[in-house]
Amino acid sequence: MLNLAEQYWPLLTIILMAVIVVVFLARRGKHVTLDIEPAIRPTLSRDVASQAVAAEVKPHFFRIEPVAGEPDNLLEIKGLGPRIAMLLNGLGVTRFEQIARLTPEEQVQLDQHLGAFKGRIDQDRWIDQARILASGDRAAFENEFGKIAGHRA
């Protein structure tokens, strides 16, 4: 028996490696799913816990009043990329004049919906840029902010 193992050890090694690879690949497809419902702490009553969960889950909706007409290419605003443009479109912002007419309260609310892009409205001066673009004065925009290079999505 020992003689057979010595003679066929390369083949046995290959078979063992193949079994390990098959086991690894079979386990790779397994995914762990998490419960969406948060666990209730034992110190809280069910009523208090359900109110806390409802307060956390209840989304705060914010939408800008829609404006009639063809949507503007929001990518012309410097510092506003495709991901932010999609986010803004989802909130009802499709035209320069909507951004130009944001009240300070709306600006704060909109900024809170930008997630990782929070602070970009002030940082990149979107409102100033939108005012000029809404007026149609491309030369004034390019003098102050540089060449317009927005891409159509």
Side-chain angles (χ1 to χ4, degrees):
M1 181 75 173
L2 187 59
N3 193 15
L4 284 175
E6 288 176 359
Q7 184 178 1
Y8 293 109
W9 72 266
L11 182 61
L12 293 174
T13 305
I14 291 172
I15 291 172
L16 180 63
M17 294 297 285
V19 168
I20 291 171
V21 167
V22 167
V23 169
F24 176 74
L25 291 176
R27 299 223 8 108
R28 190 171 174 208
K30 307 273 188 215
H31 296 287
V32 176
T33 58
L34 301 175
D35 290 337
I36 295 175
E37 187 175 322
I40 298 174
R41 294 186 301 190
T43 57
L44 290 178
S45 70
R46 289 208 179 269
D47 292 334
V48 173
S50 64
Q51 290 172 358
V53 169
E56 289 176 12
V57 173
K58 185 179 176 184
H60 174 55
F61 290 107
F62 171 76
R63 261 184 88 70
I64 299 291
E65 193 62 36
V67 176
E70 186 74 22
D72 291 322
N73 182 8
L74 298 179
L75 298 176
E76 292 179 356
I77 295 176
K78 305 286 183 175
L80 199 150
R83 289 181 61 199
I84 301 175
M86 284 185 2
L87 188 87
L88 291 175
N89 288 335
L91 295 171
V93 179
T94 58
R95 303 197 33 102
F96 297 133
E97 60 192 71
Q98 290 174 293
I99 297 172
R101 288 187 288 161
L102 285 175
T103 66
E105 295 81 24
E106 288 175 330
Q107 183 179 342
V108 168
Q109 289 178 337
L110 178 61
D111 195 46
Q112 291 178 2
H113 282 77
L114 293 180
F117 304 107
K118 188 175 181 178
R120 298 288 293 272
I121 296 173
D122 286 329
Q123 176 186 339
D124 295 326
R125 298 176 50 203
W126 289 0
I127 294 175
D128 296 334
Q129 293 183 57
R131 282 187 185 130
I132 297 172
L133 288 169
S135 73
D137 193 352
R138 304 277 189 191
F141 181 88
E142 290 185 353
N143 283 338
E144 187 163 347
F145 296 104
K147 186 166 174 54
I148 298 174
H151 315 307
R152 280 272 175 204

